[in-house]
Amino acid sequence: MVQLLCSDKVYEKLKRELSKYQIEIKQDSDLALVEKGYDMPSEKLCVVFDAIDYMDVIRLLVSGAREDLHLMNTLTGLSENKFAVIEPRDVLYLEAASDGIMAYTKSNRYSIKETLQYYENIWVVKGFMRINKSQLVNLLHVKEIIPWFNSRYVLRMDNNVELEVSKMFSKKLRITLKI
């Protein structure tokens, strides 16, 4: 599924091409194809393109972006020699540790393969934010924000774990949450 934000002429061309690959056009999609000059929705992953290059967008979607959309909406983690597919809303935070990248939920911790940078890029629209060099937090699971020394903060999560926001990321947190 994709949302189209473009001229009527380009819309008809994209609609015709997308239908060949069974890609639906829906307003509530997580992905928006945006022609240059049109406003980008802030809550979605957007691909901006020139009207003349609309076929490049089709090739991008068909060559693997459709599979990436599924990956964007899940995370596969390993815990106790078992794999689990986890939705982003269930992840409290991600952490780079000495034993690899870990995803924490309310009930468990999972080893994951991807990098923090990977999830920071694709899950920013889902409320995830980098708070220091080794942690990415789901703002929907922050229970309290405690001002700390030297313009820093401590975030108390739903599971009562406390995570420190470094000075470097404090300003971004203040701007994001308007505090």
Side-chain angles (χ1 to χ4, degrees):
M1 289 190 321
V2 296
Q3 178 184 6
L4 298 180
L5 298 167
C6 56
S7 66
D8 291 340
K9 186 176 178 182
V10 173
Y11 183 94
E12 289 305 317
K13 290 178 182 179
L14 284 172
K15 181 179 173 184
R16 186 174 44 251
E17 291 299 321
L18 291 170
S19 69
K20 292 178 185 177
Y21 299 100
Q22 291 83 41
I23 298 174
E24 294 180 61
I25 299 170
K26 293 217 175 174
Q27 291 297 104
D28 60 348
S29 171
D30 288 335
L31 174 66
L33 303 180
V34 183
E35 183 179 346
K36 278 188 180 170
Y38 286 77
D39 292 334
M40 290 190 303
S42 60
E43 71 283 355
K44 298 181 182 196
L45 178 64
C46 297
V47 175
V48 180
F49 66 96
D50 277 319
I52 199 161
D53 298 325
Y54 77 95
M55 282 306 293
D56 291 341
V57 175
I58 300 296
R59 280 191 284 280
L60 173 71
L61 289 175
V62 174
S63 71
R66 283 193 301 181
E67 290 80 14
D68 289 346
L69 286 176
H70 174 69
L71 296 174
M72 183 178 148
N73 292 312
T74 61
L75 170 144
T76 303
L78 178 65
S79 179
E80 299 174 9
N81 293 322
K82 296 177 198 161
F83 286 98
V85 178
I86 307 157
E87 293 189 35
R89 69 172 177 253
D90 296 329
V91 176
L92 278 65
Y93 63 99
L94 301 171
E95 182 175 54
S98 59
D99 53 345
I101 307 295
M102 305 302 287
Y104 292 84
T105 64
K106 284 185 181 179
S107 60
N108 210 341
R109 128 187 173 145
Y110 299 90
S111 174
I112 57 175
K113 297 249 185 232
E114 292 83 5
T115 64
L116 285 182
Q117 180 75 43
Y118 173 82
Y119 286 109
E120 183 177 14
N121 291 336
I122 67 168
W123 283 2
V124 68
V125 295
K126 297 182 180 301
F128 282 76
M129 181 179 173
R130 179 77 69 129
I131 60 166
N132 57 50
K133 67 178 184 169
S134 62
Q135 293 176 321
L136 186 65
V137 69
N138 184 343
L139 294 173
L140 299 174
H141 288 288
V142 174
K143 188 164 58 172
E144 295 176 326
I145 302 170
I146 305 160
W148 209 242
F149 303 103
N150 296 326
S151 302
R152 293 177 295 152
Y153 295 94
V154 169
L155 305 179
R156 185 168 293 133
M157 305 303 289
D158 286 344
N159 62 353
N160 290 320
V161 168
E162 293 183 350
L163 306 175
E164 186 177 320
V165 181
S166 72
K167 191 172 184 177
M168 186 171 131
F169 291 94
S170 290
K171 182 176 181 182
K172 186 176 178 184
L173 178 73
R174 284 193 301 276
I175 291 168
T176 301
L177 298 179
K178 297 175 177 56
I179 54 176

